[in-house]
Amino acid sequence: MWSVLQNPSFRRLWLAQIFSETGDWIRNMALLLWVFHITDGHPLSVSVITVCEYAPILLVTPIAGVWVDRWNRVKTMIGADLLRALTIGLVAVALLTEWVPLAYLCALLAGSFQAFFDPARTSVVASTVPRDQLVQANSCTQVTRNTLRVLGPMIGTGLYALAGAPVSFTLDALSFLLSALLLRGLLRLTIQAPPRPRKKVWSELREGFSYTVFHPMLRPMLIAGLTLGIGLGSYNSLLIFVVTDSLHLDEKFVGLLNSVQGVAMLTSALVIGLLFGKIQRHKLVTVGLFLIGVGIFVVGLAPNLLLAGVGRLIVGFGGTTLNIGLVALIQTFVANEFLGRVSGLLEPLIVGSMMASAAAAGFLLDLISITPLLMWNGAIVLLSSLVALLLFRIGQGSVAKLTAEQTATTQE
């Protein structure tokens, strides 16, 4: 994994990621704490700010992928950083007027700009990192992301507690400016999609979806993403009932199990980057699905906290393995002019299916007990790993046949 950091272009991307995602955490925690303080802890107000942060993933990311394929991708990332920095102006007005809707608007806008940043970053990595180092590059990305998932809330909360809202939001804006400054060094590289006839946004979005569905190596990716969302959505929402109803423990132990999975996600990204950097991308996807399914089974059947922790470790390792494989799969097999749209489809698919699954779990728990419900989730994920494995093998054959035909045509 360290070898990919010797690539100066990727190193700039990596440092920009650190500043950008740290800024996201500082802003999200500061907005949450400020709204909580201003509204005296009103539950609806606090929940609305969270919805505003995540809604753009579902509503904006697919459309953003279309524009990422149209624009210079490095300039898109720089623009997203600068616009996120400018949203702090709204926060300044909110702080002065104590008008909470401005905080909601800031969260919506920042999330929408991030929806452009992430697909563009995936596309730029594919253009700057050799194919044999893509798994290492995405492992490095996951290590950084998972580390910030642990440290980000602590950094954001600590800043707010020690220095207050004005300083927190000022440092937030500065982090995005530093990210943009680092990305400027990539403008000299030619890493944008080739020109193509412009169509309506909806037509290009449909074109990207069709490309994904009919591509032999990407179709299993859709199944994997959908299954991941279904399995983890119910599993995460049911965890508190595993602790309280199945293990008969205090709900505070949910935090301990979440920490265990966080450690697993961090260490697994390191292990994959250091030891399995050359492994085929589709194998990471199928192994990840298999581990998630097994882990859900272990958690559901666990008679004590120790075995539940083991299951949580397995799920965490599988989730990171799957995520690294999915992104590397996109970067390997997707044509350059479709990178933004395909990248923009994956995260909304996962998040949307997680939300639907979590909602369904709450309804189903009134009908059946926690253990069979988790067994059903685990079985779905395990079955999908077998389906994905079969489809990947078929897809490899199709890709090999197409490559051979193209080679023969070229020689003629």
Side-chain angles (χ1 to χ4, degrees):
M1 188 169 68
W2 310 123
S3 60
V4 75
L5 288 173
Q6 296 175 8
N7 180 327
S9 296
F10 179 77
R11 191 163 58 245
R12 281 182 175 272
L13 282 168
W14 176 64
L15 291 172
Q17 178 198 3
I18 292 175
F19 285 118
S20 179
E21 293 190 9
T22 300
D24 285 330
W25 279 112
I26 292 174
R27 181 196 64 247
N28 290 346
M29 296 309 301
L31 283 174
L32 179 66
L33 293 170
W34 182 78
V35 169
F36 181 86
H37 172 74
I38 291 297
T39 63
D40 295 322
H42 191 275
L44 179 60
S45 299
V46 173
S47 61
V48 168
I49 196 71
T50 303
V51 170
C52 289
E53 289 167 0
Y54 289 98
I57 295 176
L58 291 175
L59 303 177
V60 180
T61 304
I63 304 299
V66 173
W67 293 99
V68 167
D69 284 339
R70 290 182 176 184
W71 295 338
N72 180 295
R73 287 157 179 169
V74 175
K75 289 182 179 179
T76 300
M77 295 173 68
I78 294 172
D81 275 335
L82 294 177
L83 288 169
R84 279 185 285 181
L86 286 174
T87 59
I88 303 307
L90 287 174
V91 176
V93 177
L95 293 179
L96 291 172
T97 62
E98 296 189 353
W99 195 36
V100 174
L102 281 177
Y104 299 152
L105 180 59
C106 174
L108 273 173
L109 289 174
S112 298
F113 299 142
Q114 183 182 348
F116 284 83
F117 185 94
D118 290 340
R121 186 186 184 281
T122 298
S123 304
V124 173
V125 170
S127 302
T128 57
V129 175
R131 283 197 172 189
D132 62 350
Q133 290 187 330
L134 283 174
V135 170
Q136 296 176 14
N138 290 301
S139 297
C140 188
T141 296
Q142 284 296 317
V143 168
T144 304
R145 186 157 292 164
N146 293 337
T147 300
L148 289 173
R149 280 174 180 163
V150 176
L151 298 180
M154 292 189 288
I155 293 171
T157 303
L159 269 176
Y160 189 91
L162 293 173
V167 173
S168 292
F169 289 119
T170 299
L171 291 176
D172 172 51
L174 181 61
S175 70
F176 291 119
L177 294 176
L178 289 172
S179 174
L181 185 63
L182 283 163
L183 293 171
R184 283 191 74 252
L186 299 177
L187 287 173
R188 55 187 169 77
L189 304 176
T190 307
I191 45 179
Q192 64 188 83
R196 67 181 194 278
R198 293 290 176 87
K199 305 176 184 176
K200 292 183 178 180
V201 171
W202 176 249
S203 297
E204 292 197 37
L205 184 62
R206 187 172 62 244
E207 189 179 59
F209 181 76
S210 298
Y211 176 88
T212 306
V213 169
F214 293 106
H215 193 293
M217 293 299 286
L218 298 181
R219 192 182 304 119
M221 179 197 75
L222 290 179
I223 295 174
L226 183 64
T227 307
L228 174 67
I230 292 173
L232 290 187
S234 296
Y235 163 75
N236 288 330
S237 64
L238 294 173
L239 186 62
I240 189 170
F241 299 105
V242 171
V243 171
T244 57
D245 296 352
S246 298
L247 302 179
H248 308 291
L249 297 172
D250 190 273
E251 62 270 15
K252 294 177 182 176
F253 283 95
V254 173
L256 176 61
L257 290 179
N258 282 334
S259 298
V260 167
Q261 181 162 323
V263 171
M265 293 172 69
L266 176 59
T267 55
S268 58
L270 281 169
V271 169
I272 293 169
L274 294 173
L275 302 180
F276 301 104
K278 304 296 184 182
I279 193 171
Q280 291 177 306
R281 288 81 167 125
H282 69 279
K283 290 183 179 179
L284 289 173
V285 174
T286 53
V287 169
L289 281 172
F290 178 79
L291 290 174
I292 292 170
V294 170
I296 292 175
F297 264 104
V298 173
V299 170
L301 295 173
N304 53 53
L305 186 64
L306 178 61
L307 278 178
V310 171
R312 199 75 169 156
L313 278 171
I314 296 172
V315 172
F317 200 105
T320 299
T321 303
L322 176 59
N323 283 329
I324 293 172
L326 287 174
V327 177
L329 194 71
I330 291 173
Q331 293 164 336
T332 302
F333 290 101
V334 176
N336 189 33
E337 62 266 29
F338 284 99
L339 272 168
R341 280 168 285 177
V342 176
S343 301
L345 286 173
L346 183 59
E347 189 174 13
L349 175 70
I350 294 173
V351 172
S353 58
M354 284 182 69
M355 293 173 63
S357 177
F363 171 76
L364 291 173
L365 195 57
D366 290 332
L367 304 176
I368 57 178
S369 63
I370 183 73
T371 299
L373 188 52
L374 283 175
M375 295 304 97
W376 175 248
N377 277 348
I380 289 175
V381 179
L382 285 174
L383 178 62
S384 74
S385 71
L386 297 176
V387 172
L389 178 62
L390 176 62
L391 290 175
F392 275 130
R393 287 185 174 177
I394 295 173
Q396 280 184 303
S398 299
V399 170
K401 182 179 178 181
L402 180 61
T403 302
E405 291 175 351
Q406 290 175 341
T407 302
T409 302
T410 302
Q411 290 175 348
E412 291 175 0

